């Protein structure tokens, strides 16, 4: 039974992000090698002492047995995660291959209810991985430890630092990854982010940045770059703010450390990023993270329609408008809008024809109209959707099964001083990604 269970765990490890295996090797997996049988014997001995497998419950690596080349020599080591019931002991065994057999190279021990996460990070660029381990005690308390394992001797670099969330990213811009932890506010201190960097001489250097006042929960952490190509980390949090419930703190590398470039000192809040729930994204895939802000459009109907203005930051803390989109959440598409549409375009919906849902873009000639239609975007469903998407003056955008998307230009191209033609609509139309449709408003 133990052998079957171990083989299942080993197969999971082989197919996880910790290890890559060719198709030929995959097909040969049932023929377990002598080395792996010896490894199984070592693990069986640990289990026979009363230990149980204790895979990490969070983070990117969640297998009970994981394969990772820790010292950069091209050979994978094996890490196995265990708990000892009854005494809150948690153990991580590191096995390495020596003369055709696996031996225990090092054991790392912690205390808690479970291993929350493990990350393998080369923090100083020497080719040797540091182990970033989160230990959990009870339902809420999580503590960070960072170990150097040079020559398979574990040295504790960081110990017992409480955290809410962890991210790994080169936020200081020195070419090596940093470990960034976020902590929610306590009675003594506000919410902060701390970056741990490992110097070439083995010294750990920390940089600290204050987060917005009023944060209650961490919603999401993103990493990317600013407009001027500076690395940055974007911490999105929920809480109570004057103009919304979501805030993004933008932390950028500054002089070997990092700081919160979006924070307004007087209020203690990143005021320019406060909004109702819409998640930031690199929506046009240029590497720059953008923060969405809703803007109400004029409309001929009683229904409210919105454009989304996407802002990005310079390292000086100044935000710049990058692009504007209209998102049709119901039909799962969006359109990047030219800048000259910004204050002169209205949107409305027409679902009068069964199997067709239409969004109509109109030019607003004056403060109160008239409204002059110039573009219709269709989502067609049911039998013959693709054929109907090409009828009359419609232009097919794409078709998937019984669903098709199309558009129709209903005014001379580039009328009213607006930029629009078939090529622009085709290049600016996108389907939505599910990870940032939730919480976005609009029709």
């Amino acid at each position: 039974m133990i052998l079957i269970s171990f083989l299942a765990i080993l197969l999971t490890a082989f197919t996880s992000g910790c290890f890559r295996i060719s198709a030929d090797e995959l097909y040969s997996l049932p023929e377990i090698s002598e080395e792996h049988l010896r490894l199984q014997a070592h693990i069986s001995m640990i289990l026979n002492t009363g230990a149980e497998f204790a895979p990490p419950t969070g983070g990117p690596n969640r297998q009970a047995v994981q394969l990772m080349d820790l010292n950069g020599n091209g050979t994978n080591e094996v890490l196995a995660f265990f708990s000892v019931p009854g005494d809150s002991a948690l153990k991580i065994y590191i096995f390495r291959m020596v003369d055709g057999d696996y031996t225990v190279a090092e054991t790392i021990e912690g205390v808690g209810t479970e291993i929350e996460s493990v990350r393998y990070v080369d923090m100083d660029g020497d080719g040797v991985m540091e182990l970033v381990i989160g230990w959990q005690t009870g339902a809420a308390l999580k503590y960070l430890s960072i170990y150097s394992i040079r020559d398979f001797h574990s040295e504790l670099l960081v110990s017992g630092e409480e955290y809410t969330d962890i991210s790994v990213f080169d936020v200081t811009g020195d070419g090596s990854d940093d470990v960034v932890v976020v902590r929610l506010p306590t009675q003594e201190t506000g919410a902060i982010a701390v970056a741990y960097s490992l110097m070439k001489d083995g010294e750990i250097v920390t940089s600290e940045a204050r987060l917005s006042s009023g944060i209650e929960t961490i919603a999401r952490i993103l990493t990317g770059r600013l407009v001027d190509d500076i690395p940055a980390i974007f911490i999105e949090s929920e809480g109570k703010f004057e103009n919304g419930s979501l805030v993004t703190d933008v932390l950028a590398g500054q002089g070997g450390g990092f700081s919160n470039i979006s924070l307004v000192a007087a209020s203690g809040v990143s005021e320019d990023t406060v909004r109702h729930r819409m998640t930031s994204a690199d929506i046009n895939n240029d590497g720059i993270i953008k923060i969405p802000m809703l803007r109400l459009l004029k409309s001929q109907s009683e229904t409210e329609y919105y454009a989304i203005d996407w802002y990005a930051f310079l390292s000086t803390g100044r935000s710049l408008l990058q692009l504007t989109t209209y998102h049709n959440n119901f039909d799962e598409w969006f359109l990047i809008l030219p800048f000259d549409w910004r204050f002169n375009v209205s949107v409305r919906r027409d679902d009068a024809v069964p199997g067709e849902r239409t969004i109509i873009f109109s030019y607003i000639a004056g403060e109160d109209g008239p409204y002059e239609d110039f573009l219709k975007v269709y989502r067609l469903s049911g039998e013959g959707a693709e054929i109907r998407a090409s009828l009359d003056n419609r232009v097919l955008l794409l078709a998937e099964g019984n669903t098709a998307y199309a558009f129709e230009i209903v005014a001379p191209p580039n009328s009213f001083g607006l930029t629009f033609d078939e090529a622009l609509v085709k290049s600016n139309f996108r389907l939505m990604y599910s990870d940032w449709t939730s919480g976005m408003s609009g029709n």
Side-chain angles (χ1 to χ4, degrees):
M1 179 63 70
I2 291 177
L3 178 60
I4 294 173
S5 300
F6 176 73
L7 293 183
I9 292 169
L10 200 58
L11 283 169
T12 303
F14 280 142
T15 55
S16 73
C18 298
F19 185 82
R20 293 184 179 179
I21 190 166
S22 70
D24 290 341
E25 291 170 319
L26 183 61
Y27 290 132
S28 67
L29 281 179
E31 299 178 11
I32 301 301
S33 67
E34 184 67 27
E35 291 83 0
H36 288 141
L37 290 173
R38 291 172 183 166
L39 175 61
Q40 160 63 19
H42 291 299
I43 289 182
S44 294
M45 289 178 63
I46 297 171
L47 293 171
N48 288 337
T49 66
E52 298 176 351
F53 282 122
T57 59
N61 308 304
R62 303 192 185 190
Q63 300 78 26
V65 179
Q66 301 180 21
L67 307 182
M68 177 59 63
D69 181 3
L70 297 175
N71 58 6
N73 67 352
T75 300
N76 284 312
E77 281 68 49
V78 176
L79 294 93
F81 300 80
F82 299 93
S83 64
V84 180
D87 61 4
S88 299
L90 300 166
K91 294 186 178 183
I92 303 172
Y93 286 81
I94 302 175
F95 297 89
R96 66 169 173 160
M97 180 70 71
V98 177
D99 297 329
D101 192 7
Y102 282 101
T103 63
V104 177
E106 183 60 297
T107 304
I108 295 173
E109 298 189 12
V111 176
T113 54
E114 58 192 24
I115 300 169
E116 191 275 330
S117 61
V118 61
R119 292 168 172 84
Y120 308 97
V121 186
D122 183 1
M123 295 179 64
D124 57 358
D126 66 351
V128 178
M129 295 291 183
E130 280 66 49
L131 291 188
V132 180
I133 301 172
W135 311 99
Q136 183 140 2
T137 301
L141 294 178
K142 295 185 285 188
Y143 297 95
L144 171 74
S145 295
I146 301 178
Y147 293 85
S148 166
I149 51 168
R150 183 179 298 279
D151 299 323
F152 298 103
H153 172 70
S154 62
E155 178 185 354
L156 192 57
L157 304 176
V158 175
S159 175
E161 296 295 328
E162 189 174 346
Y163 69 93
T164 303
D165 210 338
I166 299 176
S167 182
V168 174
F169 182 63
D170 180 15
V171 71
T172 58
D174 64 358
S176 297
D177 280 334
D178 309 296
V179 177
V180 179
V181 302
V182 180
R183 300 175 191 157
L184 286 175
T186 65
Q187 291 182 347
E188 293 77 25
T189 63
I192 60 171
V194 181
Y196 296 90
S197 304
L198 182 59
M199 301 295 100
K200 299 296 184 183
D201 62 2
E203 179 186 2
I204 284 284
V205 175
T206 62
S207 303
E208 186 175 304
R210 184 161 59 102
L211 303 181
S212 290
S213 300
I215 287 174
E216 296 175 347
T217 59
I218 305 301
R220 193 180 187 203
I221 298 177
L222 298 89
T223 58
R225 307 192 78 79
L226 304 178
V227 175
D228 43 358
D229 204 35
I230 302 296
I233 187 165
F234 302 77
I235 301 174
E236 299 199 327
S237 308
E238 296 174 350
K240 295 182 176 66
F241 310 102
E242 185 175 348
N243 298 313
S245 59
L246 184 70
V247 67
T248 301
D249 288 296
V250 183
L251 312 181
Q254 300 278 358
F258 77 151
S259 61
N260 190 339
I261 64 170
S262 58
L263 196 71
V264 177
S267 64
V269 175
S270 294
E271 295 177 0
D272 286 348
T273 71
V274 174
R275 60 204 185 273
H276 293 290
R277 186 169 179 82
M278 296 183 298
T279 58
S280 301
D282 177 11
I283 191 168
N284 60 344
N285 298 314
D286 63 358
I288 298 171
I289 300 296
K290 300 159 193 75
I291 298 169
M293 306 295 288
L294 281 180
R295 178 166 50 84
L296 182 65
L297 295 172
K298 294 180 181 179
S299 179
Q300 296 170 264
S301 71
E302 295 182 356
T303 302
E304 292 184 339
Y305 295 89
Y306 294 86
I308 300 177
D309 292 326
W310 296 83
Y311 290 87
F313 277 80
L314 291 163
S315 57
T316 60
R318 180 187 175 195
S319 62
L320 300 175
L321 178 64
Q322 298 294 289
L323 73 161
T324 297
T325 59
Y326 170 75
H327 280 69
N328 182 346
N329 295 329
F330 192 58
D331 296 331
E332 299 181 331
W333 60 264
F334 71 94
L335 189 70
I336 300 173
L337 308 183
F339 283 114
D340 58 23
W341 292 24
R342 184 167 171 76
F343 299 111
N344 300 294
V345 168
S346 170
V347 171
R348 73 182 190 276
R349 173 183 287 277
D350 181 2
D351 295 343
V353 179
E356 296 184 8
R357 297 203 290 263
T358 308
I359 292 294
I360 302 170
F361 294 86
S362 306
Y363 170 72
I364 308 170
E367 183 64 27
D368 299 315
Y371 291 77
E372 301 183 60
D373 299 345
F374 66 91
L375 174 66
K376 297 181 179 181
V377 180
Y378 301 90
R379 183 184 188 273
L380 305 103
S381 58
E383 187 175 352
E386 184 172 353
I387 296 173
R388 287 184 284 123
S390 300
L391 294 177
D392 301 323
N393 296 316
R394 296 174 182 174
V395 179
L396 176 67
L397 286 163
L398 59 91
E400 296 178 342
N402 289 328
T403 301
Y405 297 86
F407 70 92
E408 179 183 359
I409 292 178
V410 294
N414 303 321
S415 299
F416 321 118
L418 301 181
T419 303
F420 66 95
D421 56 23
E422 287 193 6
L424 181 140
V425 177
K426 288 179 179 178
S427 64
N428 287 15
F429 179 86
R430 305 281 196 281
L431 293 182
M432 288 186 180
Y433 296 107
S434 59
D435 61 339
W436 40 259
T437 55
S438 61
M440 284 194 172
S441 299
N443 292 290

